[in-house]
Amino acid sequence: MTQNEYILVTGGAGYIGSHTVVELIQNGKTPVIVDDFRNAVPSILTGIEKIVEQSVICHQIDVCDHQAMLSVFEKYNFEGIIHFAAYKAVGESVQEPLKYYNNNLRGLLVCLTLAEEFEVHNFLFSSSCTVYGSPENSPVVTEESPVLEASSPYGATKQMCERILSDLSNSDSKIKVLNLRYFNPIGAHSSSLIGELPTGEPNNLLPYVTQTALGILDELTVYGNDYNTVDGTCVRDFIHVSDLADAHVKGLDWLTKQTGSFNEVINVGTGEGASVLEIIHTFEKVSNQQLNWKFGERRTGDVEQIYADVAKAKKLLNWSTERSMEDAVRDAWNWEQKWRNETTDNS
Ligand code: WQD
């Protein structure tokens, strides 16, 4: 193993992190996961290892723990860093802003301080379409669309982290930064060996759908049907998590080939909008069962509609999505059922 093929993946046992670790390994890289499992479980590592048929390096460390992170940088000569580790629940961030500012900002600052010290110049940051706020003119946002005031502390931390990275790249640092702005990741690996942890109250739409379908939740509430959209419900850009993972591998390859310090931003979505009702109808089609749902009041902070212009990802990374929304909903449903069966068997 040449020394510099290691890739630091903070939050690598998480939802997007674990799928990215699989794609990195299957593309010849050696990820080193740093995760303290506050939002992950060790069985995800087992799932990754079953998919890639090899062991995975993982250090159970809080990314904000400078001393512990120093020991990791001293142990491996990293070719690059993919920084996922952060809290990401929009609603929770409104209730607990300090928890979000503390963790999301300090985690990035520890990583960047050590990246500078150990001259790791390829830095890929997990950003979010949340930075666009509610698009004023068109629901289709490009990377040049205005970054509006964040609608939550979570979104504000993503904007602040992008600013920190931009300021660093404009200094005499040699860092090369790629901010990937995700839209709505959904689904699970086609093997059903890894997926979005369905523990506790879900944060996002699809886990609500699959848990309602299994009877864990009584009924899905569709938050608002009076929006100015195709069917009155909100519109999002729902992207299969494995397509999102592929974008990270392509992004890292692109980063390592660039010379000179820079700070780039790329949208990662399908480029198509889909409504909440379309997700429900797709679920009922792939699961061949009726979902128990009702219309409810709008959810505070929701954006009416937003989806990605993905021309830049195609041009710079030669990347675009390969999986359909139906694939994502089917993979999410298969994962949820497998997880519940195994958890019930083991309880
Ligand atoms: C989607 C739509 C809800 C649950 C997420 C992440 C954020 C960022 C963008 C990555 C909304 C509706 C939901 C339910 C519903 N991703 N909904 N009933 O708010 O777009 O943000 O993606 O960084 O981190 O939070 O996603 O899945 O919560 O909601 O009607 O029970 O589904 O109102 O219109 P959101 P979401």
Side-chain angles (χ1 to χ4, degrees):
M1 173 77 61
T2 58
Q3 265 299 308
N4 68 351
E5 280 188 350
Y6 291 109
I7 306 295
L8 171 62
V9 183
T10 72
Y15 176 39
I16 301 163
S18 56
H19 288 80
T20 301
V21 163
V22 164
E23 300 302 330
L24 285 169
I25 291 170
Q26 291 179 339
N27 283 273
K29 299 294 182 183
T30 308
V32 174
I33 295 173
V34 161
D35 202 309
D36 62 4
F37 292 92
R38 67 180 70 182
N39 196 20
V41 292
S43 63
I44 288 290
L45 295 182
T46 311
I48 294 172
E49 292 179 337
K50 281 182 182 168
I51 295 169
V52 299
E53 295 176 331
Q54 68 182 66
S55 62
V56 171
I57 304 169
C58 180
H59 294 270
Q60 184 162 351
I61 285 173
D62 176 352
V63 73
C64 298
D65 181 340
H66 189 281
Q67 271 316 109
M69 288 294 286
L70 173 61
S71 65
V72 174
F73 275 80
E74 285 169 336
K75 187 176 171 71
Y76 304 93
N77 180 0
F78 291 121
E79 178 188 34
I81 299 171
I82 304 180
H83 182 54
F84 290 108
Y87 288 125
K88 61 163 186 172
V90 171
E92 183 189 47
S93 77
V94 174
Q95 305 308 321
E96 300 185 72
L98 276 186
K99 173 180 173 180
Y100 274 68
Y101 288 118
N102 238 323
N103 183 59
N104 292 10
L105 298 183
R106 284 199 304 134
L108 176 70
L109 291 170
V110 166
C111 280
L112 288 177
T113 306
L114 290 167
E116 288 293 284
E117 185 179 333
F118 287 83
E119 298 186 74
V120 183
H121 300 316
N122 299 303
F123 197 95
L124 202 158
F125 176 62
S126 163
S127 192
S128 165
C129 64
T130 311
V131 303
Y132 295 115
S134 291
E136 287 162 346
N137 303 319
S138 154
V140 190
V141 288
T142 72
E143 290 82 356
E144 284 66 49
S145 294
V147 171
L148 300 176
E149 182 174 346
S151 57
S152 71
Y154 161 76
T157 65
K158 290 299 181 184
Q159 290 178 345
M160 291 173 188
C161 286
E162 285 197 7
R163 174 61 193 265
I164 291 165
L165 288 161
S166 170
D167 288 347
L168 182 59
S169 67
N170 288 331
S171 71
D172 61 359
S173 163
K174 295 187 176 65
I175 196 168
K176 298 180 281 177
V177 177
L178 175 57
N179 300 275
L180 292 186
R181 289 177 178 167
Y182 310 159
F183 285 70
N184 288 58
I186 59 170
H189 192 269
S190 55
S191 64
S192 300
L193 287 166
I194 57 175
E196 187 169 10
L197 269 200
T199 50
E201 177 79 8
N203 290 318
N204 297 120
L205 175 61
L206 210 52
Y208 271 106
V209 167
T210 53
Q211 289 188 33
T212 302
L214 277 185
I216 294 155
L217 298 175
D218 295 334
E219 185 178 46
L220 172 77
T221 302
V222 174
Y223 298 131
N225 68 332
D226 58 352
Y227 288 101
N228 181 23
T229 62
V230 59
D231 57 21
T233 64
C234 289
V235 171
R236 293 289 184 275
D237 185 329
F238 295 102
I239 177 174
H240 195 297
V241 64
S242 292
D243 278 333
L244 179 57
D246 288 342
H248 287 77
V249 178
K250 293 267 177 59
L252 196 64
D253 281 348
W254 178 80
L255 262 180
T256 52
K257 292 189 179 84
Q258 308 311 306
T259 55
S261 171
F262 64 86
N263 180 65
E264 196 53 84
V265 175
I266 296 181
N267 284 341
V268 185
T270 65
E272 291 171 20
S275 74
V276 174
L277 278 185
E278 284 173 284
I279 284 279
I280 292 172
H281 296 150
T282 302
F283 176 80
E284 291 178 331
K285 179 184 171 193
V286 302
S287 64
N288 195 28
Q289 66 180 63
Q290 288 295 308
L291 190 70
N292 186 22
W293 64 274
K294 67 179 179 183
F295 284 124
E297 292 305 307
R298 293 185 173 194
R299 182 174 71 172
T300 309
D302 269 340
V303 169
E304 179 171 79
Q305 54 182 336
I306 183 170
Y307 49 99
D309 177 307
V310 291
K312 190 171 181 181
K314 182 64 183 166
K315 180 167 177 264
L316 284 193
L317 309 184
N318 188 30
W319 170 91
S320 55
T321 50
E322 294 171 358
R323 298 163 181 88
S324 67
M325 187 167 79
E326 212 168 288
D327 294 332
V329 172
R330 180 180 301 106
D331 289 339
W333 179 226
N334 291 339
W335 158 254
E336 178 77 58
Q337 295 175 97
K338 186 167 189 290
W339 168 274
R340 294 297 165 193
N341 295 339
E342 282 176 359
T343 310
T344 311
D345 293 348
N346 297 339
S347 58

